[in-house]
Amino acid sequence: MENLRNRKKEKLIEQCSDGKTGEKKIENETSEKSKKTNGDVPNYLGNDEPTSTTKIINNVRESRTKFLRVSFEVDLLSVGLFLCGLITRMYKLEEPKNIVFDELHYGKYVSLYMKNTFFFDSHPPLGKQLVAAAAYLAGFDGKFKFDKIGSPYPDTIPLLALRCIPAFFGSLVIPTSYHLMLELGLTQWTSLLAAVLLLFDNALLTQSRFILMESMLLFFALFGIFCILKFRHYYSRPYCIFWFLWLSLASVSLTCALSVKYVGFYSCCLGVAILGRDFWKSLSSAALSDKALFTRFIVQTIVSLSVSFIIYLCIFYVHLNVLYKAGPHDSIMTSAFQASLEGGLASITKGQPLLVAHGSQITLRHTHGRTCWLHSHNHVYPIRYPDKRGSSHQQQVTCYSFKDVNNWWIVKRPNKNDLVVEQPIDIIKHGDVIQLVHGITSRALNSHDVAAPVSPQCQEVSCYIDYNVSMPAQNLWRVEILNKDQNGDSWHTIQSLIRLIHLDTNTALKFTGRQLPDWGFHQHEVAADRIINQDDTVWNVEEHRYTKSEDQKERERELVTAEMIPTAATSLTFWEKFFELHYKMMFSGTESVQNHMYSSEPFEWPLMSRGIAYWVSSTSNAQIHLIGNLLLWYSGTIGLLTYLSLLIFYLLRRRRLCFDLDKKTWEQFQLIGEVFLTGYLIHYLPYFFVERTLFLHHYLPAFIFKTLLLVALIEHVYFITKNILKHKVISYAFIISVSLWVVMIFYVFNKFTVLSYGTTPLTTNDIVDLRWKDTWDFIVHKN
């Protein structure tokens, strides 16, 4: 019997392989047998359960047709949306041919990339790298100086290449939002509406047309969230190839958002929140064991962090390897970092002695925070300060932000009177007690129990003058080398990070960060602090030479004409540069906290109280002004409040066991809030706690999530009117109202495109006509 079954099975497969003729024979045979057996057929595969011949045929067909086959599915709506985004953003992209707003900064960074010159920015470099790559391919040489907003671009600048990258990513935002809505289970019409609304927003249009970073940030953030939503479909099939694919793509995209600007961290938090919410729900599943849950959590975490770390690391590896020359921004970095760059400080420090010894002439640089050098001059502290406190009237010691001959000091052993370096060299080591003699005035660094001029909680630091009064010199300092485990006990130039501990009072030499008044020439205060372990007490030797002559005049001439002969470069590993750069990015922000003419506060953003003037023509009132679609922004704010009201209403009703929505609809309503409302709050609320200048464009990520929430709410309201209230007239009226609303949004968008493109000369009356709110500050040339 078994052999008979196998022969029939082989015959059936052979007939199937004959093509359509064989398939028709089997189908006819199946039809005849079905009539006799009422649809049941013998089990040709010998299994216990009956199997239909039709199923066998389908399996054979599937196995034959899927072999080495690649299927493509094209969503024409998505393609159309992308093309619409591309057209609106690429239209007259080279106009105006002038520097627009922050193109001033980002253009400079691109120029420095072209010249391999190091620059410092408090944000990661990915966005600037993408623009620089396009500029490099277009042949940009980096010689143009982005010196002033409004300055004209010469014809040699490949302006289209510089602006096309932000425009391209701005175009991708539109279809990405469309697919994001589809992934949340919303209808195609709703998803299309969301994309169209974002297409018709003037702020997104304006921000995508210039050398700015927001369009790239928005795309990577939205695409990362989209990938996470795709990843959720494979929860029931963990560790399959698509499980790893979508998780990895989400990690890559969200890391890229973070690497464009650090505010991309908020999008990463949203992604983690979505995954965390799903994991929390899976804890209640009886189908998953503790081991399975724990394993999935560990694997998911390792994959996400590993991919993110590799991407982030590669971006900075490229950044630090491309920018190997010294530039105008490297002074914010430590002496070791500067000396590792080609040119600049490296040309000064390459030939200097490595070991600090008795008789060394040195400059002491404040290592962390503000760039400045320990400094003194002939002027003394005033006898009394404005608060009536008395001073020692000793010689001033400050921290000076510029290279100066008065920054030089001579290291001296207390028991030696000569200052010449002799053989064998008397090397200063960790724990040694020294004196620091000011090179020009020959007075020793001193501290005593007198309050510092601006920081009275600290001790004054001075250069000692013997006034023949009862105030003896206290000029002994102990050298503590903080990184002696890496560089040894000996005091090394540049590489050794040191603290100078005042021997008599056990206080540390400190840069306080506070500025002195007129009598101190507005230089920065240096004091001695009892709190020793802090970054502001860390110093390092930057420039170094050995004293060769005992004669004071000869020493002064040597200091004034100090010049080193380059012989060997200082080198730092990638990791040393990587960690130092991040330390500076975190704690040495260069952004001003002063009010800008067009800055705004977070509470002003939802109702768009203020815009930003990006550019104005010098010959007419044609201008570019960052302003959103007023109707859309107000609608989004109303939609946000409406969703919150509905959510509270539903929760109260469900608490009273009144279930107005079925399970599927309620879960859908919750989901759009968990993604879009959470996304809005995560991208908006942190700005209330930021102490720096803020602008309207900081609101754009939150605005996108608010708009998507609004559109999802529209679908929910339509569902309620049609399927729960079951009022056809109301549902039709609602559709008509939404259609008219979209038409009005397009009208507003079209009206304000003159401020997005900046190509249309405007009269004073035109500007007044566009000023729909009194708080909008448009620029009008006086005729």
Side-chain angles (χ1 to χ4, degrees):
M1 181 64 69
E2 187 69 26
N3 292 333
L4 178 62
R5 289 175 178 171
N6 290 335
R7 283 198 300 272
K8 288 184 177 181
K9 174 183 174 183
E10 291 172 0
K11 183 179 179 181
L12 176 62
I13 295 174
E14 182 180 353
Q15 288 174 332
C16 291
S17 64
D18 289 339
K20 293 183 179 179
T21 305
E23 290 171 4
K24 288 180 180 178
K25 290 179 181 178
I26 294 173
E27 288 171 2
N28 293 332
E29 181 183 349
T30 304
S31 178
E32 292 175 2
K33 290 183 178 180
S34 298
K35 295 175 182 176
K36 296 178 181 179
T37 60
N38 197 23
D40 293 330
V41 296
N43 187 352
Y44 289 102
L45 298 180
N47 296 330
D48 294 334
E49 297 179 1
T51 307
S52 68
T53 308
T54 304
K55 186 174 180 181
I56 298 173
I57 295 171
N58 290 336
N59 289 337
V60 173
R61 285 177 181 172
E62 188 177 350
S63 64
R64 184 177 70 240
T65 56
K66 281 193 174 181
F67 182 67
L68 293 178
R69 186 185 69 174
V70 179
S71 299
F72 290 97
E73 182 179 312
V74 178
D75 189 329
L76 294 180
L77 275 178
S78 179
V79 174
L81 288 169
F82 172 67
L83 292 177
C84 289
L86 209 59
I87 292 169
T88 55
R89 278 131 183 88
M90 291 289 186
Y91 174 71
K92 292 187 177 180
L93 193 59
E94 291 185 278
E95 297 292 335
K97 290 190 175 181
N98 302 85
I99 298 174
V100 176
F101 194 55
D102 275 349
E103 286 189 335
L104 177 74
H105 303 297
Y106 297 120
K108 284 180 180 178
Y109 297 148
V110 172
S111 294
L112 293 171
Y113 265 123
M114 297 301 102
K115 296 182 287 188
N116 304 109
T117 302
F118 177 81
F119 64 84
F120 177 81
D121 184 24
S122 58
H123 288 291
L126 177 60
K128 298 176 279 289
Q129 287 176 348
L130 294 174
V131 177
Y136 174 78
L137 294 174
F140 181 44
D141 57 10
K143 292 181 179 179
F144 177 71
K145 295 181 179 179
F146 293 78
D147 51 0
K148 183 181 178 183
I149 294 176
S151 296
Y153 286 111
D155 294 334
T156 56
I157 295 292
L159 189 56
L160 182 63
L162 290 170
R163 288 178 177 172
C164 74
I165 295 298
F168 175 75
F169 280 100
S171 304
L172 286 176
V173 168
I174 310 304
T176 304
S177 61
Y178 165 77
H179 286 287
L180 181 59
M181 299 290 280
L182 288 177
E183 280 304 312
L184 280 173
L186 298 166
T187 66
Q188 193 172 38
W189 283 108
T190 302
S191 304
L192 176 63
L193 176 59
V196 167
L197 292 183
L198 296 181
L199 179 67
F200 291 160
D201 183 67
N202 303 82
L204 292 177
L205 172 64
T206 304
Q207 201 68 16
S208 300
R209 286 178 42 79
F210 304 104
I211 312 173
L212 305 171
M213 301 292 109
E214 275 67 29
S215 61
M216 289 175 268
L217 169 68
L218 294 173
F219 166 72
F220 286 125
L222 289 176
F223 185 71
I225 300 302
F226 166 76
C227 291
I228 285 179
L229 297 178
K230 294 287 285 187
F231 169 72
R232 294 170 71 246
H233 294 315
Y234 297 93
Y235 281 170
S236 59
R237 288 184 286 161
Y239 318 124
C240 70
I241 186 171
F242 289 105
W243 189 89
F244 283 105
L245 175 65
W246 289 114
L247 180 60
S248 299
L249 284 176
S251 301
V252 169
S253 189
L254 291 175
T255 304
C256 287
L258 177 72
S259 300
V260 173
K261 278 191 169 185
Y262 275 131
V263 293
F265 174 73
Y266 302 144
S267 302
C268 297
C269 290
L270 176 60
V272 172
I274 294 172
L275 294 176
R277 167 255 192 198
D278 290 342
F279 183 77
W280 178 257
K281 287 192 172 184
S282 68
L283 290 177
S284 62
S285 174
L288 295 172
S289 65
D290 292 346
K291 181 180 179 181
L293 283 169
F294 179 75
T295 303
R296 185 181 300 184
F297 176 79
I298 293 299
V299 173
Q300 191 171 306
T301 303
I302 290 175
V303 170
S304 301
L305 293 180
S306 299
V307 171
S308 297
F309 181 72
I310 291 170
I311 295 298
Y312 190 77
L313 205 64
C314 289
I315 290 168
F316 275 92
Y317 183 83
V318 172
H319 180 69
L320 292 171
N321 277 274
V322 170
L323 305 181
Y324 59 85
K325 295 181 181 178
H329 295 176
D330 62 357
S331 62
I332 196 171
M333 309 305 292
T334 63
S335 303
F337 194 105
Q338 293 181 63
S340 69
L341 300 173
E342 183 181 297
L345 181 63
S347 65
I348 299 175
T349 60
K350 283 179 183 175
Q352 62 188 15
L354 179 63
L355 297 172
V356 178
H358 168 79
S360 288
Q361 299 173 1
I362 63 172
T363 61
L364 272 177
R365 184 184 188 273
H366 177 238
T367 302
H368 303 300
R370 185 181 182 87
T371 302
C372 63
W373 293 266
L374 189 67
H375 177 94
S376 187
H377 39 239
N378 279 316
H379 300 274
V380 296
Y381 292 113
I383 296 176
R384 288 196 177 277
Y385 300 119
D387 60 1
K388 307 302 180 183
R389 287 187 298 114
S391 78
S392 65
H393 202 49
Q394 300 277 309
Q395 182 172 300
Q396 296 175 15
V397 172
T398 65
C399 207
Y400 192 42
S401 299
F402 301 94
K403 295 293 184 76
D404 188 270
V405 68
N406 282 310
N407 297 346
W408 285 92
W409 301 79
I410 303 175
V411 179
K412 178 182 178 298
R413 293 276 193 188
N415 57 351
K416 290 186 177 181
N417 292 325
D418 64 292
L419 297 177
V420 179
V421 177
E422 298 177 348
Q423 297 296 331
I425 297 172
D426 186 5
I427 300 171
I428 306 298
K429 296 186 177 181
H430 173 75
D432 286 356
V433 176
I434 64 167
Q435 294 173 313
L436 281 179
V437 178
H438 188 239
I440 296 299
T441 62
S442 295
R443 289 175 177 145
L445 187 71
N446 184 81
S447 186
H448 36 225
D449 191 15
V450 175
V454 186
S455 305
Q457 72 276 14
C458 300
Q459 288 183 180
E460 178 190 86
V461 172
S462 64
C463 276
Y464 182 73
I465 303 174
D466 187 3
Y467 287 120
N468 202 20
V469 295
S470 57
M471 186 176 286
Q474 300 180 43
N475 53 20
L476 300 181
W477 302 83
R478 184 175 69 253
V479 177
E480 289 189 354
I481 301 175
L482 306 182
N483 56 343
K484 59 185 176 64
D485 293 339
Q486 290 81 31
N487 298 314
D489 287 345
S490 299
W491 188 0
H492 288 77
T493 304
I494 293 180
Q495 296 175 343
S496 292
L497 304 179
I498 69 157
R499 285 195 177 100
L500 291 175
I501 309 300
H502 189 239
L503 209 61
D504 294 292
T505 60
N506 196 37
T507 55
L509 187 71
K510 174 187 176 181
F511 163 78
T512 67
R514 307 187 71 177
Q515 207 165 15
L516 297 172
D518 292 342
W519 54 260
F521 307 99
H522 301 288
Q523 296 175 18
H524 287 85
E525 181 188 43
V526 171
D529 197 343
R530 290 180 177 83
I531 302 174
I532 294 174
N533 295 318
Q534 52 180 309
D535 285 346
D536 286 330
T537 60
V538 180
W539 305 79
N540 67 272
V541 172
E542 186 168 271
E543 296 177 67
H544 178 211
R545 50 188 277 144
Y546 287 154
T547 305
K548 299 177 181 178
S549 173
E550 184 64 29
D551 181 68
Q552 169 69 13
K553 296 296 183 183
E554 182 65 26
R555 286 203 308 268
E556 289 182 15
R557 282 194 293 271
E558 288 178 1
L559 294 173
V560 171
T561 60
E563 183 178 354
M564 300 299 168
I565 301 173
T567 58
T570 299
S571 62
L572 288 181
T573 66
F574 165 74
W575 291 107
E576 289 174 318
K577 288 185 176 181
F578 178 80
F579 287 119
E580 179 180 332
L581 181 59
H582 278 76
Y583 179 90
K584 296 293 184 180
M585 291 167 72
M586 293 295 105
F587 301 105
S588 303
T590 57
E591 291 189 76
S592 172
V593 296
Q594 301 298 320
N595 286 331
H596 186 278
M597 180 179 179
Y598 289 98
S599 64
S600 53
E601 296 298 326
F603 64 85
E604 298 178 289
W605 297 340
L607 299 180
M608 205 170 55
S609 298
R610 305 202 66 195
I612 312 172
Y614 274 12
W615 170 84
V616 61
S617 172
S618 58
T619 58
S620 70
N621 284 321
Q623 59 187 277
I624 295 170
H625 202 95
L626 183 70
I627 206 80
N629 189 312
L630 188 66
L631 179 57
L632 178 57
W633 283 53
Y634 272 64
S635 300
T637 302
I638 294 171
L640 179 71
L641 298 176
T642 304
Y643 179 87
L644 287 171
S645 302
L646 275 176
L647 179 62
I648 294 171
F649 172 76
Y650 288 147
L651 289 173
L652 292 174
R653 292 275 293 171
R654 295 177 76 85
R655 188 65 176 170
R656 295 290 296 170
L657 303 181
C658 298
F659 301 101
D660 303 297
L661 304 177
D662 60 80
K663 182 180 179 182
K664 182 180 178 181
T665 306
W666 170 242
E667 288 179 350
Q668 178 73 13
F669 185 79
Q670 279 184 301
L671 182 60
I672 62 175
E674 288 169 353
V675 176
F676 296 144
L677 178 60
T678 304
Y680 175 79
L681 296 176
I682 286 177
H683 287 85
Y684 178 52
L685 295 181
Y687 286 106
F688 284 93
F689 307 97
V690 172
E691 294 183 0
R692 64 185 177 99
T693 305
L694 296 173
F695 297 94
L696 183 64
H697 60 72
H698 289 113
Y699 185 65
L700 291 180
F703 162 74
I704 285 185
F705 284 102
K706 182 174 72 171
T707 303
L708 299 182
L709 177 65
L710 168 66
V711 178
L713 179 64
I714 289 174
E715 179 178 307
H716 177 75
V717 173
Y718 175 71
F719 177 84
I720 296 297
T721 58
K722 181 180 179 182
N723 298 301
I724 296 181
L725 300 179
K726 296 183 178 179
H727 287 291
K728 289 186 177 180
V729 176
I730 296 178
S731 61
Y732 287 140
F734 182 76
I735 293 175
I736 295 172
S737 300
V738 170
S739 302
L740 292 174
W741 172 69
V742 173
V743 171
M744 290 297 296
I745 284 176
F746 176 75
Y747 168 77
V748 176
F749 167 75
N750 186 61
K751 185 175 182 64
F752 283 89
T753 50
V754 293
L755 299 180
S756 298
Y757 292 112
T759 57
T760 305
L762 301 173
T763 65
T764 302
N765 290 334
D766 292 333
I767 298 294
V768 172
D769 183 51
L770 290 171
R771 194 167 180 259
W772 287 8
K773 297 190 70 172
D774 293 338
T775 52
W776 291 357
D777 298 324
F778 295 150
I779 298 175
V780 180
H781 284 304
K782 294 181 179 179
N783 296 326

